[in-house]
Amino acid sequence: MMLSRKNKERMFFWLFRGCAAAVVAFLTIIIMFVIVNGAGTITWDFLTQNPMPNDTGALVSGGILSPIIGTLMLMGLVLAIAIPIGVFGAVFLVEYCGSYKWSRYMWMTVNNLAGVPSIVWALLGVGVFVYYLAFGLSLISAAITLSLMILPIVMVSTKEALEAIPSSIYDASIGLGATKWQTILHHILPYSASGIITGIILSLSRAGGETAPLLLTGVALNATIPLSIFDQFQALPYYIYMMTSASDRANAYPMAYGAALVLIILMMIMNLAAATLRSRYREKYKW
Amino acid sequence: MKNISGDQISKIQVKDLNLWFDTKHVLKDVSIEIYEKEITAIIGPSGCGKSTFLRCLNRMNDLIPSTKIEGEILLDGKNILENDIDPVDLRKDVGMVFQKPNPFPKSIYENIVFAPKIHGIEEIKKDPKTGKEKIVRRKPTKEELDQIVEKCLKRAALWNEVKDRLNKSAYDLSGGQQQRLCIARTMSIEPEVILFDEPCSALDPIATAKIEDLLVDLRKDYTVVIVTHNMQQAARVADRTAFFYMGDLVEYGPTKRLFEKPEKELTEQYLTGRMG
């Protein structure tokens, strides 16, 4: 049977509408599920105490202070390591690397690196940072491993943001006798900042939510708040993972949901901050 | 350096200029003399090398990899293609206005002050010990920047339209205003030569007329070279016109003579619309 053009239009419209609704529905279900199961756990004590053992010795009482601090410190370090390298590396490849062939090979490598599974990065982290460079199981080993993991994402999103700037802007600045660096500093980077920031936040969220690389490079269940970057640490995703595999499920699961809710809220705050920054830059540099 | 008639001073002398993009020979043995405080128009069909030629004059082609260039371009007698010439310095003497208005996505004010800010203001200072005079660059003051903005915008006939909204985005201006802003911005570097690459091709007739009036006015202070695909425009504003075809400079002479009595067959065909 042939559908009339009008009916065809209607059918596809509803199909697409259904797909969009499904995405929103799943997201809502997940978030509601975590809120329903986790909201009850969140108390002042839960947020301000370290995980503590109960009578049987299992770490299912207390709170999640050390995982929160651990995750924040980890993300701070990743920000400090991966962002400058990723952003300026991409700036070099896009703006300075004279050879077209070379930069194509480099981007091919970067794109392939983006597809490497996180557990493989974890193995690299163990081999290189934990043992070869003897940083031990530590915050710094984990932070460098995560930084390497998100570098490709930072670089690719920076590249896209830089390439979105029309070349006429570049011509204008160079034509006024500005050097390449002055052009990049005063024009290209500020105008592409909103795109670059989006990429940074997305990759930081990814780093904050990873578990596998941490497992091998530095988290420990009984770690407290690290005093130096060479200490072991706790992290929220790892804490959730440990709670869901504890034998005392009755006590552990609510803790896992509580921690998951905190992790989600943390990510939401970051995304909100990113959106604010982004719209501020959009407002400032309209083009 | 005076020319035959003795009244014009030669500003730019191009000698046997050849240019290749990869293996494509884009400019072939171009030799031309451009005179100070005149408007020189370059016309020709699309792809004839006229824009490429213009971009040689401030070495914008340097930005395109795999460009090979041979010959000489003398600006005030100095070859700007020499290795010891810094293209960044050259572009302060030879400003450029592009085909599409390309203001920075910043305020009108910021657009004009960008170049003076990065270049600084030249001052001659005496060394107290040796007594020697030397040129130093310093940061311009707020008052100096304000003056530059007013001067450049007035010179580009834009001041009256924008003086009350200098801090508004340049993107809020109309196309013609944006192009005049770009001209004002070019004047902020105090160039001697201004290159125009089809500056009116994206503008309506009224905005075009304003730019043309401005061009004629600029001729008092600057040497102007303009690429245009609009023959009437060349006829209206230019003192001299050069006709390019397939990378060759076919004919060059006073505009009136070239339009009324072209010496070459090709020129006549192009001007009468039988080719191009």
Side-chain angles (χ1 to χ4, degrees):
Chain A
M1 185 195 76
M2 275 283 287
L3 282 169
S4 75
R5 243 168 39 153
K6 214 172 165 187
N7 281 336
K8 221 181 210 169
E9 166 101 4
R10 196 171 288 155
M11 188 185 87
F12 277 104
F13 177 69
W14 277 102
L15 192 70
F16 295 156
R17 174 180 277 191
C19 292
V23 172
V24 177
F26 283 128
L27 198 66
T28 317
I29 289 169
I30 291 172
I31 291 177
M32 288 309 289
F33 190 69
V34 174
I35 290 176
V36 167
N37 287 290
T41 323
I42 296 180
T43 59
W44 183 245
D45 283 349
F46 184 68
L47 295 175
T48 54
Q49 284 181 351
N50 285 337
M52 281 185 286
N54 66 0
D55 309 336
T56 60
L59 270 175
V60 292
S61 340
I64 54 164
L65 180 65
S66 60
I68 294 177
I69 301 290
T71 290
L72 289 177
M73 288 175 86
L74 194 64
M75 280 172 25
L77 278 173
V78 170
L79 186 74
I81 299 167
I83 302 315
I85 299 178
V87 171
F88 290 115
V91 167
F92 172 80
L93 284 182
V94 174
E95 309 287 351
Y96 283 99
C97 185
S99 157
Y100 174 70
K101 210 168 97 184
W102 250 103
S103 76
R104 245 190 48 188
Y105 285 134
M106 293 287 281
W107 282 114
M108 227 160 73
T109 314
V110 171
N111 280 322
N112 283 327
L113 284 179
V116 173
S118 58
I119 192 72
V120 177
W121 288 111
L123 283 174
L124 175 94
V126 174
V128 176
F129 307 118
V130 176
Y131 293 114
Y132 184 73
L133 294 175
F135 292 158
L137 291 167
S138 61
L139 191 56
I140 190 70
S141 295
I144 301 177
T145 309
L146 278 183
S147 298
L148 290 181
M149 192 187 84
I150 66 160
L151 258 183
I153 312 174
V154 177
M155 290 184 75
V156 170
S157 58
T158 303
K159 176 191 181 219
E160 276 162 12
L162 292 174
E163 285 175 348
I165 306 295
S167 63
S168 59
I169 297 277
Y170 194 85
D171 282 349
S173 178
I174 295 288
L176 287 168
T179 60
K180 227 167 179 179
W181 171 239
Q182 285 168 331
T183 303
I184 291 167
L185 184 70
H186 294 283
H187 300 292
I188 309 292
L189 279 180
Y191 307 158
S192 55
S194 65
I196 295 176
I197 290 169
T198 311
I200 290 173
I201 301 281
L202 279 179
S203 49
L204 267 189
S205 304
R206 164 113 196 260
E210 270 295 337
T211 319
L214 309 186
L215 271 175
L216 302 187
T217 53
V219 280
L221 188 58
N222 54 4
T224 50
I225 295 165
L227 297 173
S228 100
I229 53 170
F230 295 105
D231 287 343
Q232 284 193 286
F233 63 102
Q234 261 283 14
L236 281 170
Y238 173 72
Y239 178 84
I240 296 167
Y241 167 69
M242 289 315 288
M243 286 299 110
T244 50
S245 50
S247 53
D248 185 0
R249 304 185 90 185
N251 284 316
Y253 261 73
M255 307 284 275
Y257 281 116
L261 186 56
V262 171
L263 187 59
I264 289 177
I265 292 172
L266 208 65
M267 297 302 162
M268 278 181 164
I269 292 174
M270 279 181 51
N271 284 332
L272 205 70
T276 320
L277 269 174
R278 208 161 55 210
S279 62
R280 273 224 342 237
Y281 270 102
R282 283 237 179 96
E283 201 53 41
K284 197 165 167 203
Y285 301 113
K286 272 191 241 163
W287 57 276
Chain B
M1 257 174 275
K2 295 214 170 155
N3 77 336
I4 325 138
S5 58
D7 52 350
Q8 290 108 343
I9 302 164
S10 166
K11 185 75 183 168
I12 301 170
Q13 289 167 299
V14 178
K15 291 179 185 165
D16 300 322
L17 185 70
N18 279 284
L19 185 139
W20 293 263
F21 290 138
D22 275 324
T23 51
K24 206 176 149 217
H25 199 173
V26 185
L27 293 174
K28 300 166 190 162
D29 289 325
V30 173
S31 295
I32 189 171
E33 198 159 2
I34 290 165
Y35 297 95
E36 191 167 49
K37 292 181 185 168
E38 277 196 0
I39 299 178
T40 304
I42 298 168
I43 59 170
S46 304
C48 67
K50 55 190 193 299
S51 282
T52 305
F53 171 75
L54 194 74
R55 292 168 76 94
C56 287
L57 301 181
N58 67 345
R59 285 183 59 179
M60 286 294 273
N61 288 324
D62 284 20
L63 304 172
I64 304 165
S66 74
T67 307
K68 203 179 98 188
I69 190 162
E70 277 171 11
E72 282 183 0
I73 300 176
L74 305 176
L75 174 68
D76 292 329
K78 194 156 171 41
N79 187 2
I80 62 168
L81 297 181
E82 291 286 342
N83 285 330
D84 63 332
I85 296 280
D86 184 353
V88 170
D89 287 333
L90 170 69
R91 292 179 197 130
K92 278 185 288 187
D93 293 331
V94 185
M96 189 158 194
V97 175
F98 297 85
Q99 192 167 357
K100 244 181 72 191
N102 58 352
F104 300 127
K106 295 183 170 183
S107 70
I108 295 166
Y109 187 92
E110 290 282 334
N111 263 279
I112 310 273
V113 298
F114 168 67
K117 266 185 177 169
I118 58 165
H119 295 314
I121 287 191
E122 275 185 6
E123 244 179 16
I124 297 167
K125 264 195 181 161
K126 252 189 184 163
D127 195 311
K129 281 176 199 160
T130 58
K132 266 189 187 164
E133 286 187 341
K134 57 174 182 179
I135 297 168
V136 282
R137 291 187 174 278
R138 62 169 174 82
K139 263 174 84 173
T141 62
K142 172 84 174 105
E143 288 74 39
E144 282 169 329
L145 290 176
D146 289 347
Q147 281 168 10
I148 292 171
V149 169
E150 186 172 341
K151 194 180 90 190
C152 293
L153 286 174
K154 277 185 173 158
R155 197 71 183 80
L158 190 61
W159 175 251
N160 286 332
E161 291 160 62
V162 301
K163 65 178 178 226
D164 300 321
R165 46 174 176 153
L166 293 176
N167 291 314
K168 290 273 159 58
S169 170
Y171 276 34
D172 295 341
L173 299 175
S174 73
Q177 287 173 326
Q178 287 188 12
Q179 194 62 300
R180 276 180 283 148
L181 176 64
C182 292
I183 295 172
R185 183 177 64 187
T186 303
M187 289 189 297
S188 75
I189 55 174
E190 296 178 348
E192 294 163 14
V193 181
I194 305 182
L195 311 174
F196 291 83
D197 189 0
E198 299 189 24
C200 301
S201 61
L203 304 180
D204 65 61
I206 294 170
T208 301
K210 281 187 184 168
I211 303 268
E212 284 180 9
D213 288 346
L214 181 57
L215 281 171
V216 173
D217 186 47
L218 288 180
R219 166 177 185 278
K220 282 185 262 174
D221 303 311
Y222 305 93
T223 304
V224 172
V225 185
I226 175 173
V227 162
T228 177
H229 56 199
N230 180 337
M231 282 179 272
Q232 287 73 37
Q233 184 167 65
R236 282 192 296 265
V237 302
D239 298 294
R240 280 166 212 268
T241 299
F243 171 57
F244 275 69
Y245 186 70
M246 309 256 295
D248 285 307
L249 172 60
V250 177
E251 190 167 351
Y252 176 49
T255 302
K256 204 165 167 339
R257 205 273 297 143
L258 187 122
F259 273 83
E260 285 169 4
K261 281 191 207 116
E263 284 165 1
K264 301 273 166 63
E265 178 91 32
L266 264 173
T267 316
E268 195 187 343
Q269 282 180 3
Y270 181 70
L271 291 175
T272 51
R274 271 179 288 149
M275 177 267 293

